[in-house]
Amino acid sequence: MTPGGGKQLKISKQPYPMVIWLAITFLFVCTLTTDAQQSATQPQEWKLTKIAATGLSRYTVEQVAKLTNLTLGQKVDLAILDAATLRLRDTGLFNQVTYGYRYQNDQLTVTFKIEEAVWDTPVIFDNFVWFTDEELIKAIAQTVPSFDGTAPKSGNLTSLIAQTLEQLLSARQIAGAVEYLSSSELTGNHFEHVFVVKNLNLPVCALHFPKASGIKENVLINAVKTTSGGQYSKSALSDFARNHLFQLYREQGYLKARFQSIDARLLADANCKNGVDVSILIDEGASYTLDKIEWSDNLTLSTKELDSLLAMKPGEVANGVKFDNGLKTIKAAYGKKGFIRAQFNIATTFDEESKRAASHITVKEGAQYHMGLISFNGLPMGEAEKLQKRWRLKTGEIFDTTYLDDFLNKDLDPKLNARLAGIRAIPSEQNLTVDVQIIFK
């Protein structure tokens, strides 16, 4: 026993464990020494003899090599390779870029490992009336490999496109700076990259619908009279066509009408300086009549009630606007009964020979909600208590989505209505209740 009370450690008489331990230690020391020697002897720079790339589908190795600004035969070091990698990342063409390298003596091969970005966002040239879209796409493709009129949703590619467009303007001696805008700044959606020449005076002096037949051209022109005579913007006109003109077509049963394109050219008209002649091309398709409406999974409202609320009959024009309004009425009827999550899945089939359309509507009623708590925020206690007494939808009763409008229109003092700052309806999925907060300023 040792003084500490533990057992004495015995050394085995067999030599093998110690030999093995010494061998492992020797190999470890040798490995460290070899790595240190390699690190110490690695050249500080090399002659670039080959550029390779992996992960490519849209681009070629040659296109990637051009974007790096590297040239075969030049002297490179790790800082130069790092900078080349950063240039590739900054183009916005790729989601991720790394590199590896190997060398023999002073000859080096670098391999860029690339994850390509998805190109799914349209690029809109808003008021470049001096060029066709084809000319602009071809010019940008000289700078941006494989550019086809689309771009990734994010990244720095938009800066490169803007620079190229400014160079085109300069080459044509056209004054103006190019500004990039996301379409959310123009039309409220987020699916387009828009490039605009700032501070232009380009009034719309003439407007045409060359393919119009189902709806008279003058009707369409009158529909956009607020735009005609204003400043030309392809984005604004396209948005107007999709969201407003097509409602005219849907009212007449042209359920497959599609916006095609906008053509614009400068006019040589002394009465309209710098004026633009605009042609909006629409594929109207055919006008359909209603064949039938079928319903399924409706439990709370009968098929007869749904048909009455939709207010469409077989044989009449398949009026898409009337159909949409009918569904809104039906949704309100479900909301009145507490089904605040009611949804409708619509499957429409077309008989092209008879030009008739039939719709099958599957109703997803969801759960029925009840009234939770009502609160009036931002008012003195006395005023809030008075409003509490006027609120007739009691806690626990079936929630009626239409009651809130009735209350604001009929039971709320006009002076308080002017102070209204916000309304919040807060559903509880656990309790199937809806709390209402009416906020005053």
Side-chain angles (χ1 to χ4, degrees), residues 373-409:
L373 301 176
I374 174 68
S375 60
F376 299 92
N377 303 334
L379 294 177
M381 186 177 296
E383 289 188 58
E385 288 177 349
K386 290 180 181 178
L387 292 177
Q388 288 272 3
K389 293 178 181 178
R390 292 182 191 175
W391 183 268
R392 296 188 301 277
L393 191 59
K394 305 303 180 184
T395 298
E397 293 182 350
I398 291 174
F399 186 77
D400 179 358
T401 56
T402 67
Y403 175 70
L404 182 57
D405 285 338
D406 288 342
F407 177 82
L408 295 176
N409 292 329

Side-chain angles (χ1 to χ4, degrees), residues 45-51 65 68-77 80-81 106-110:
E45 65 176 14
W46 303 268
K47 180 181 179 182
L48 182 60
T49 56
K50 184 178 180 180
I51 299 174
T68 66
N69 285 348
L70 297 174
T71 57
L72 296 182
Q74 79 174 97
K75 293 291 185 178
V76 297
D77 56 18
I80 291 175
L81 297 181
D106 70 336
Q107 310 288 301
L108 182 133
T109 295
V110 60

